[in-house]
Amino acid sequence: IVRMPGEPGEVVSLQVNSFEAFEAEVALVDASGTALVSSDQLGRSSDNLLVRELDGVGPYFALVRHTTEAPSEYELDVELSTLQDLDARAVTAADTSGSIDVFRLTAEDEQVAEIQVDPRATPLGGIVEVLNTESRSLARVELPRSGGPIAVTLALPTAGVYTVAVRDVADDADYTLGLELIDAVALDDPDIRLPLVGETNRQRAYTFEGVAGALAELSMTPTSPLDAVIELVGPDLTVIKRIDVRGASAVEKATVVLPATGTYVVRPSGARRTDGTYQLEYDQRQVEELPDEGSKTGSIDALSEMSTHGFSAAAGEAVTLTLASPDGDLNGVLEVIDGESNRVAIADLG
């Protein structure tokens, strides 16, 4: 049990560092014995942080309750700090070594947050973590120690107040934290008609719910001279694919094997501050496994239709794919995409 003071508007951060199997519940309790926030999952994975804004004057208590008889070795770091609002104005934090900086992010429905972290001098390292409205970890990303600004892009599931925590940064590292909230359009909304028309000078993001192992295809067609970039960001906040679009008519496509189930963000933006218009299309389909031996029958009935099939192969193994049409009038393209979404082969079937 750790006893601490507290004032309204302050925030308590509870961080567990476990050295072995940690079977326990961690809770923040007020003077009446009411648990304000708790979790029995801390220390079992990368999810090891609880954050709670205080509503009244303390004392408060951080409790660790063992849920099994097995002993556990751990460290519990408890920190009281001031909660800062993160909005369109950049926030500067300094001398953060060994501490947790906590920020409040208020979002509306159907928004994507782009959090910019810019080291002012010393490379940061450390972690940026976003906690949801129930103080549970929503996403986290490790900051590189190589220096330079990075952007963390994620879809916020609902309107509400989120918490952004920056921790474990390098000694005496200063940084600036910025936020951009962008209205999002769900590409898989049944009421949305594709293609969507957009402008690179208007902040816009798109989202879709992806299934691990499915094949997603994105294409952007410029409708005016365009110099733009599209980034596809996965549920773990990493950029999975980047598409550069230049010119006035060339169609740029990306075919991606989705690595995880969750919400994906498509973020188009103008390169070098240029403006332009585009059409965006999206498709996602499940992959049908090819048999190890024998054949599989399929059909393509429309110009824009695509069939997707999957197979497993070891590195260095030779694979032969034979495609035949009973009518002899097959016309199209056969592409082979590896597990990292790289095109490894293409054949014109015309």
Side-chain angles (χ1 to χ4, degrees):
I1 300 176
V2 178
R3 187 180 189 275
M4 71 197 80
E7 298 289 339
E10 287 186 316
V11 64
V12 175
S13 304
L14 305 179
Q15 182 175 346
V16 173
N17 298 307
S18 177
F19 302 99
E20 56 184 63
F22 183 68
E23 300 288 342
E25 178 186 15
V26 180
L28 177 66
V29 179
D30 64 14
S32 69
T34 302
L36 303 179
V37 62
S38 65
S39 175
D40 61 0
Q41 299 298 314
L42 299 190
R44 299 185 186 181
S45 64
S46 59
D47 182 7
N48 67 340
L49 180 68
L50 283 179
V51 176
R52 171 67 187 228
E53 184 177 358
L54 302 179
D55 299 324
V57 177
Y60 293 89
F61 304 88
L63 306 181
V64 178
R65 301 187 182 98
H66 289 269
T67 55
T68 68
E69 295 182 358
S72 297
E73 184 180 355
Y74 64 91
E75 288 181 352
L76 176 64
D77 294 332
V78 180
E79 185 170 332
L80 270 174
S81 57
T82 301
L83 189 64
Q84 305 178 65
D85 282 314
L86 184 62
D87 49 30
R89 297 166 297 178
V91 177
T92 298
D95 298 326
T96 56
S97 177
S99 67
I100 302 175
D101 297 328
V102 184
F103 307 87
R104 181 195 292 117
L105 187 162
T106 304
E108 299 177 359
D109 276 326
E110 299 179 346
Q111 284 193 319
V112 164
E114 188 171 273
I115 303 168
Q116 298 97 21
V117 186
D118 189 2
R120 302 185 69 192
T122 307
L124 279 179
I127 294 169
V128 173
E129 187 161 6
V130 181
L131 295 94
N132 64 15
T133 54
E134 297 177 351
S135 193
R136 298 293 190 270
S137 180
L138 181 64
R140 69 200 303 268
V141 62
E142 294 187 6
L143 300 173
R145 291 187 177 273
S146 56
I150 70 163
V152 178
T153 303
L154 76 157
L156 302 175
T158 61
V161 178
Y162 295 80
T163 303
V164 179
V166 181
R167 56 193 173 107
D168 301 337
V169 301
D171 293 344
D172 301 321
D174 302 347
Y175 64 91
T176 298
L177 198 66
L179 171 69
E180 191 167 8
L181 288 172
I182 307 162
D183 293 334
V185 174
L187 292 173
D188 47 9
D189 186 334
D191 295 329
I192 294 295
R193 297 185 62 183
L194 298 175
L196 291 175
V197 176
E199 302 176 14
T200 56
N201 64 352
R202 181 184 178 189
Q203 294 295 341
R204 176 66 73 189
Y206 306 92
T207 63
F208 64 87
E209 296 301 315
V211 178
L215 202 68
E217 186 175 70
L218 296 168
S219 66
M220 176 184 267
T221 304
T223 53
S224 71
L226 188 64
D227 190 354
V229 172
I230 304 177
E231 289 185 336
L232 176 62
V233 181
D236 64 350
L237 310 188
T238 60
V239 177
I240 298 172
K241 200 73 173 179
R242 178 186 172 97
I243 311 172
D244 291 311
V245 183
R246 296 183 181 181
S249 60
V251 179
E252 295 292 339
K253 292 185 177 182
T255 304
V256 179
V257 180
L258 301 181
T261 297
T263 303
Y264 290 77
V265 177
V266 181
R267 181 76 169 92
S269 61
R272 291 181 287 278
R273 303 184 180 276
T274 59
D275 299 336
T277 58
Y278 59 86
Q279 290 183 338
L280 181 69
E281 295 201 62
Y282 151 83
D283 186 32
Q284 180 184 168
R285 59 189 66 227
Q286 295 300 310
V287 176
E288 300 180 39
E289 289 296 320
L290 291 173
D292 293 336
E293 296 181 0
S295 62
K296 188 174 186 64
T297 302
S299 63
I300 298 177
D301 301 319
L303 182 63
S304 60
E305 192 172 339
M306 177 176 63
S307 295
T308 55
H309 306 278
F311 62 90
S312 299
E317 184 177 359
V319 175
T320 301
L321 299 174
T322 303
L323 198 62
S325 171
D327 304 335
D329 59 353
L330 188 62
N331 188 16
V333 174
L334 174 66
E335 292 182 272
V336 180
I337 310 295
D338 68 13
E340 297 181 353
S341 301
N342 300 310
R343 179 195 287 167
V344 295
I346 184 170
D348 189 346
L349 305 176

